[in-house]
Amino acid sequence: MSLAINNLHARTGQRDILKGLTLEVPSGEVHAIMGPNGSGKSTLAKVLAGHEDYEVTAGTATLDGADILAMEADERSRAGLFLAFQYPIEIPGVSNANFLRAALQARQPEGVELDAVAFYHKMYAKMDVLEMNRQFTSRSVNEGFSGGEKKRNEILQLMMLEPKFAVLDETDSGLDIDALKVVAQGVNAMRSPERGFLVITHYQRLLDYIQPDVVHVLMDGRIVKTGGPDLALKLEAQGYDWLKEEVLVTA
Amino acid sequence: MSTTFSAGDIDRSKGDFFFPERNKYDAGYGLTESTIDYICDVKNDPDWVRDFRKRALKVFHDKPMPTHWATRDLENIRFDDIRYYLSDGQKPKRSWDDVPEDVKKTFERLGIPEQERKFLAGVEAQYDSEAAYSNIQKAVSDQGVIFVNSSEGLKEHEEIFRPWFGKVIPTGDNKFSALNSAAFSGGSFIYVPKGVKVKHPLQAYFRINSENFGQFERTLIIVDEGAEVMYMEGCTAPKFETSTLHSAVVELVAMKGAKLQYVTVQNWSSNVFNLVTKRGIAHEEAEVKWIDCNIGSRLTMKYPGVIMKGRKARGEVISIALANSGQHQDTGAKMIHAADETTSNIVSKSISIGEGRATYRGQVHIPRHLKNCKNNTECDALLINSSSRTDTYPAITVRGNQHATQHEASVSQVSAEQIFYMQQRGLSEGQAMSLSVNGFINDLVREFPMEYSVELKRLIDLEMEDSVG
């Protein structure tokens, strides 16, 4: 069981962004993707989720063997792929609770109603882990939320939807250290042998709290280096320049 | 005999079915003085009503189409191809068991008897020109509440009916109020005596069954001092090849300290011209509130109004309009302040889908000699597709410097990023769109009685399902 990406090429408009990206995240593992600005990190997240602004020109992406690139965005979600957005979207007038219910209802077989009582029990339990006030259930999705509240809300959705694979796109951006710890706590609570994570981040800081099994470095649309957690520490200490030189040498 | 309908039988637009006509009375095509005589004879109208109708007919013919401000689509109404009165000649029944089978089945499919059992104090069900069923809970009628159709009202309760009939909306108010005044049949007459608060809503349902037909119901509701009532109306018609005309007049009178709420959830098929005049008078400290939801029809023109005639009277219009391709919802509100310290509130939200067009027209009038009047107007439009259209024409006249008015308007669009976000959580594009639209009108839907807000949400979901591929 894995999220497998092979030789993925993608572009937006006339610009090629992913240029042959290959990586595989087996279930049960947490992989981090680091890389300088503009290397294609967020593009990878959006391409996997099926954003219509991006066109896949070559390569494959499969989730437990199923071709997710052939699916609509909502099918990918129901197939078990979750994306925690870097900039979560506001949905005025739709309460958080109703949104989550609708998302869970969409996963029910035809004609089966979600058990409302069980739903609320579960939601409240998850909110407690994330130290979220109960009032967030009746507030409109992300509307008027602070940056940190939005990120917690993403993790709440992750915890409720229980995907097979979760892509976290710069979940640490805009978080202070306390919020970061809480968010990491939520993610760590979701780690399990049946679930894989792809954690996209610019900074090593997040990886102190969500410890990765594998660290990949993305540059110019390709994975240029893969290593253990110590790779992230080295990048934090030395930046990316040494790696750029290394890439140039091998190229 | 009972017939069950298979799922395939029931069209997704719940009202799109009809039964064969079996009319005993058919006024034929076109509207002339002899048509009026025919209607009067069948209905056994008193002379004053016959005179009233004939004067109205003349006004109708004399008045031009209001196409100098309204859509030219009005010119497509073929008045000579419409039948102005159709009925089976039966009196309204007090029990559903006595209602003819096809009519009963119609209303059962629309869920009316079920709603009546669950939460209504009385129901009037009109089929083409006349009421087929009319019933009021005994406990409510024992309090002196009258709830009958207009034909019965003008005959049996002339002393209450006649002083107000045509006074809130004079015949010559507009071409279609004149048309209704000439050809009216059916609609409700309600009187709530002093101090009586009717706990559960009274409901009327207007059903068109026949092709090439015009429905002209006439409703008059009088709520006496300190009394309260909520009235709800629903309407549907099957979709015929030719267009259907619905032109109602609704007059409301709230006496001192009375409260009157009028709720409409219309779901006309997409070939109905729905041209309705609705207005209420609020006396001292009285409140008239219109809650209006316009779904369906080819063209709806409807601007519920309140004349605040007594000190501290309040008027309110809460309006939701949904215009799909081929539809034009031209709706709004009129607030006429005619006394000191009167307050009015208009909240209008429209949704345009596909090539649909929503127009808001609002009139607020506060004259110079009054003191401390307040108006708040909010109108928000949501556009779903790039070909959707919305227009806003507010006309606010406030003279004098002792008043407070506030006007807010917004136009927004469901963003692709919003839809993508919801899809990423597993909702289909259609579900995501529905959720966005429901979110947009959520605060207004709460104003509807619970049972109706559920129905409303369902209707919106149906409309949205169709709007995305």
Side-chain angles (χ1 to χ4, degrees):
Chain A
M1 296 291 135
S2 70
L3 175 66
I5 303 162
N6 191 26
N7 189 34
L8 191 64
H9 287 70
R11 59 158 66 177
T12 178
Q14 291 303 308
R15 212 151 52 91
D16 293 320
I17 300 182
L18 300 183
K19 302 168 183 172
L21 187 146
T22 298
L23 72 86
E24 181 165 7
V25 187
S27 292
E29 292 189 6
V30 174
H31 288 210
I33 291 195
M34 300 185 73
N37 285 331
S39 57
K41 300 191 299 289
S42 283
T43 296
L44 173 62
K46 286 182 175 161
V47 167
L48 289 175
H51 195 290
E52 62 181 11
D53 284 355
Y54 299 87
E55 183 196 352
V56 174
T57 50
T60 59
T62 58
L63 195 156
D64 293 352
D67 177 9
I68 57 167
L69 298 181
M71 300 178 193
E72 294 292 327
D74 54 313
E75 294 172 314
R76 299 181 195 200
S77 166
R78 295 195 299 273
L81 182 76
F82 182 91
L83 169 62
F85 283 61
Q86 183 179 3
Y87 303 108
I89 308 295
E90 300 184 357
I91 313 173
V94 178
S95 76
N96 240 344
N98 280 346
F99 182 53
L100 276 171
R101 268 181 84 160
L104 283 166
Q105 184 64 50
R107 288 161 166 76
Q108 297 284 319
E110 183 100 29
V112 178
E113 277 293 313
L114 193 70
D115 178 345
V117 176
F119 163 77
Y120 275 98
H121 275 298
K122 182 174 168 184
M123 181 171 63
Y124 289 148
K126 305 297 182 196
M127 288 174 79
D128 289 346
V129 174
L130 295 169
E131 297 173 20
M132 285 175 82
N133 192 305
R134 294 275 158 95
Q135 61 156 350
F136 279 96
T137 56
S138 55
R139 284 178 60 181
S140 294
V141 178
N142 295 325
E143 194 180 42
F145 287 23
S146 71
E149 286 165 349
K150 282 181 180 170
K151 295 300 174 75
R152 279 183 212 214
N153 208 30
E154 292 294 288
I155 303 306
L156 174 64
Q157 294 175 21
L158 164 71
M159 295 176 92
M160 292 300 287
L161 298 180
E162 300 177 330
K164 288 184 195 161
F165 282 89
V167 178
L168 275 50
D169 187 9
E170 306 221 8
T171 294
D172 51 330
S173 68
L175 288 187
D176 61 33
I177 197 73
D178 292 326
L180 184 66
K181 282 180 186 168
V182 173
V183 162
Q185 206 170 307
V187 173
N188 288 328
M190 292 302 287
R191 289 178 80 153
S192 96
E194 285 81 44
R195 186 170 294 118
F197 286 89
L198 192 58
V199 179
I200 294 171
T201 181
H202 202 68
Y203 301 103
Q204 196 274 336
R205 188 180 70 150
L206 177 68
L207 305 180
D208 286 341
Y209 301 98
I210 303 173
Q211 297 207 334
D213 300 297
V214 178
V215 174
H216 305 276
V217 180
L218 179 61
M219 271 187 185
D220 195 27
R222 268 182 229 108
I223 300 295
V224 294
K225 195 160 187 76
T226 294
D230 51 323
L231 178 59
L233 290 169
K234 186 173 178 188
L235 289 169
E236 181 78 1
Q238 301 181 14
Y240 290 96
D241 287 347
W242 62 275
L243 205 53
K244 281 179 191 159
E245 283 163 26
E246 201 179 293
V247 173
L248 280 176
V249 171
T250 45
Chain B
M1 189 193 85
S2 83
T3 313
T4 48
F5 292 88
S6 70
D9 231 4
I10 298 176
D11 195 277
R12 54 154 289 279
S13 49
K14 189 162 87 172
D16 193 10
F17 64 92
F18 64 95
F19 287 95
E21 290 178 31
R22 37 163 197 75
N23 296 307
K24 186 173 171 196
Y25 299 110
D26 179 343
Y29 292 88
L31 186 62
T32 62
E33 201 156 303
S34 63
T35 323
I36 301 293
D37 281 325
Y38 180 88
I39 295 172
C40 290
D41 292 345
V42 171
K43 296 179 79 72
N44 198 17
D45 279 339
D47 286 344
W48 70 269
V49 175
R50 193 182 293 257
D51 294 345
F52 177 90
R53 288 182 188 278
K54 288 191 176 171
R55 279 196 305 273
L57 180 68
K58 190 169 178 328
V59 176
F60 168 65
H61 285 314
D62 289 349
K63 270 196 182 287
M65 274 291 187
T67 41
H68 56 291
W69 60 269
T71 169
R72 299 192 77 87
D73 193 25
L74 286 172
E75 287 165 1
N76 294 316
I77 303 173
R78 299 268 166 267
F79 289 105
D80 292 338
D81 296 342
I82 290 170
R83 291 176 292 172
Y84 289 77
Y85 182 87
L86 293 175
S87 88
D88 62 5
Q90 300 198 31
K91 285 209 173 326
K93 304 296 189 286
R94 303 275 166 212
S95 157
W96 285 106
D97 291 337
D98 300 333
V99 172
E101 198 61 28
D102 52 349
V103 180
K104 188 172 129 190
K105 254 185 252 164
T106 296
F107 289 110
E108 275 172 354
R109 281 176 75 170
L110 298 167
I112 311 303
E114 191 191 342
Q115 288 178 356
E116 180 180 15
R117 283 192 297 275
K118 276 193 192 152
F119 65 98
L120 298 171
V123 167
E124 171 123 21
Q126 180 166 338
Y127 195 77
D128 289 341
S129 294
E130 296 289 358
Y133 173 85
S134 174
N135 191 32
I136 178 168
Q137 277 178 9
K138 191 171 177 300
V140 181
S141 63
D142 284 351
Q143 290 176 292
V145 176
I146 300 168
F147 178 33
V148 294
N149 63 70
S150 66
S151 318
E152 196 175 327
L154 65 88
K155 274 178 253 177
E156 308 297 323
H157 307 282
E158 189 185 327
E159 72 292 353
I160 325 173
F161 186 96
R162 201 168 162 182
W164 288 109
F165 178 70
K167 298 299 192 299
V168 185
I169 302 171
T171 296
D173 187 83
N174 63 76
K175 189 170 178 72
F176 294 94
S177 63
L179 171 63
N180 175 281
S181 299
F184 75 93
S185 182
S188 306
F189 170 64
I190 294 171
Y191 172 74
V192 185
K194 277 183 194 173
V196 172
K197 293 175 180 165
V198 184
K199 269 193 228 126
H200 299 285
L202 299 173
Q203 178 177 278
Y205 201 94
F206 299 99
R207 172 67 183 173
I208 291 176
N209 183 67
S210 301
E211 194 168 2
N212 300 318
F213 170 67
Q215 191 173 50
F216 308 98
E217 87 266 11
R218 179 97 189 189
T219 290
L220 171 61
I221 303 177
I222 299 159
V223 186
D224 217 328
E225 291 180 11
E228 292 178 15
V229 73
M230 178 191 269
Y231 177 86
M232 314 203 294
E233 64 169 356
C235 17
T236 53
K239 188 174 166 132
F240 293 116
E241 297 282 310
T242 55
S243 46
T244 306
L245 177 60
H246 175 258
S247 189
V249 165
V250 176
E251 299 177 285
L252 308 181
V253 181
M255 303 303 286
K256 184 177 175 184
K259 276 190 183 174
L260 174 44
Q261 276 195 47
Y262 192 107
V263 183
T264 304
V265 177
Q266 73 167 51
N267 182 25
W268 291 117
S269 58
S270 56
N271 56 353
V272 173
F273 283 97
N274 181 45
L275 309 164
V276 172
T277 313
K278 290 182 162 172
R279 198 169 301 152
I281 291 183
H283 289 92
E284 193 175 331
E285 293 182 9
E287 181 181 298
V288 170
K289 181 171 183 174
W290 299 96
I291 303 178
D292 200 22
C293 173
N294 300 298
I295 297 179
S297 81
R298 167 172 169 172
L299 170 67
T300 287
M301 291 177 67
K302 191 204 292 177
Y303 322 97
V306 183
I307 300 164
M308 286 148 279
K309 212 178 166 199
R311 202 177 61 89
K312 289 193 171 174
R314 293 182 302 279
E316 189 163 1
V317 173
I318 303 288
S319 158
I320 297 172
L322 198 149
N324 223 321
S325 292
Q327 300 179 337
H328 184 180
Q329 304 286 2
D330 195 326
T331 61
K334 289 184 182 181
M335 292 297 181
I336 310 300
H337 291 256
D340 292 343
E341 298 171 68
T342 46
T343 310
S344 62
N345 186 35
I346 302 169
V347 185
S348 158
K349 295 203 178 191
S350 70
I351 301 142
S352 309
I353 309 165
E355 315 264 304
R357 179 178 175 193
T359 302
Y360 169 82
R361 290 180 209 273
Q363 185 190 355
V364 175
H365 182 75
I366 305 178
R368 188 185 302 277
H369 66 276
L370 299 182
K371 287 195 284 289
N372 301 325
C373 296
K374 277 185 208 152
N375 165 262
N376 175 57
T377 301
E378 280 173 60
C379 55
D380 300 320
L382 182 69
L383 301 173
I384 302 293
N385 305 97
S386 55
S387 52
S388 313
R389 175 170 172 188
T390 183
D391 317 86
T392 302
Y393 305 98
I396 301 180
T397 315
V398 181
R399 300 195 200 285
N401 52 9
Q402 305 182 71
H403 309 296
T405 52
Q406 191 174 320
H407 178 88
E408 282 177 46
S410 76
V411 180
S412 52
Q413 206 167 358
V414 175
S415 74
E417 292 302 318
Q418 239 179 37
I419 299 298
F420 175 65
Y421 185 71
M422 290 190 264
Q423 280 191 283
Q424 209 304 303
R425 298 308 184 241
L427 302 176
S428 69
E429 193 181 354
Q431 289 169 333
M433 203 67 103
S434 276
L435 208 56
S436 274
V437 168
N438 276 303
F440 173 69
I441 55 166
N442 197 15
D443 51 337
L444 296 194
V445 171
R446 282 195 208 123
E447 302 264 344
F448 284 73
M450 228 280 276
E451 293 76 6
Y452 266 44
S453 62
V454 172
E455 170 74 359
L456 191 56
K457 200 181 158 310
R458 200 189 61 80
L459 288 175
I460 288 167
D461 286 349
L462 282 175
E463 291 286 331
M464 299 314 299
E465 259 173 34
D466 263 13
S467 70
V468 289

